[in-house]
Amino acid sequence: MAEHEELKVAKSALIAGQPRVEGSEAAEALELGYIPDVSSLVKVQDEATVSRTIMQQAGGNVVLFSFDAGQQLSEHTAAMPVFVQTISGHLKVTGSGETVDLLPGGLIYFPTRLPHAVQAVEPSIMMLTMITPARAAVNA
């Protein structure tokens, strides 16, 4: 069973004025989301899969997973497009009837609703980037 933790991300303000949308009195400041080392934010635990949300922004969310050797995410689908990267270790990722070895530096893309599965060959850390619709800046 996956453990899920929320992490507040330190943000540096990127001052470029406040964007305004025609017809909107509300304005949102532009901010740079920055994490200097994602690999230190989740640890591999014996016989476990752990997940931790490390960033939530308009347009996307990032979740780190750690897997002990032999742990897996059984076949499932995502309600949004996702990118998967191995930060450390070795993962076998299956989708579209194909299994690939995902090593550090590799990248996989899954469109919405494509069934896929992940298995750890060795203790591993994986980064999942979910592409979400950007928030509308217009008041209804």
Side-chain angles (χ1 to χ4, degrees), residues 10-25:
K11 296 179 183 175
S12 303
L14 178 64
I15 306 300
Q18 293 190 356
R20 297 187 69 73
V21 175
E22 190 172 325
S24 171
E25 297 304 316

Side-chain angles (χ1 to χ4, degrees), residues 36-104:
D37 180 15
V38 298
S39 65
S40 66
L41 298 178
V42 68
K43 302 291 183 214
V44 174
Q45 297 180 18
D46 289 341
E47 299 181 29
T49 298
V50 177
S51 67
R52 184 175 190 181
T53 299
I54 61 168
M55 187 175 284
Q56 292 181 302
Q57 298 291 332
N61 300 319
V62 180
V63 180
L64 288 181
F65 286 82
S66 68
F67 301 90
D68 197 6
Q71 295 295 305
Q72 65 181 354
L73 295 177
S74 57
E75 186 174 82
H76 62 284
T77 62
M80 66 209 61
V82 299
F83 292 93
V84 174
Q85 297 171 265
T86 298
I87 303 299
S88 65
H90 178 181
L91 299 169
K92 286 200 176 283
V93 181
T94 302
S96 297
E98 181 179 357
T99 299
V100 298
D101 291 294
L102 189 60
L103 300 169

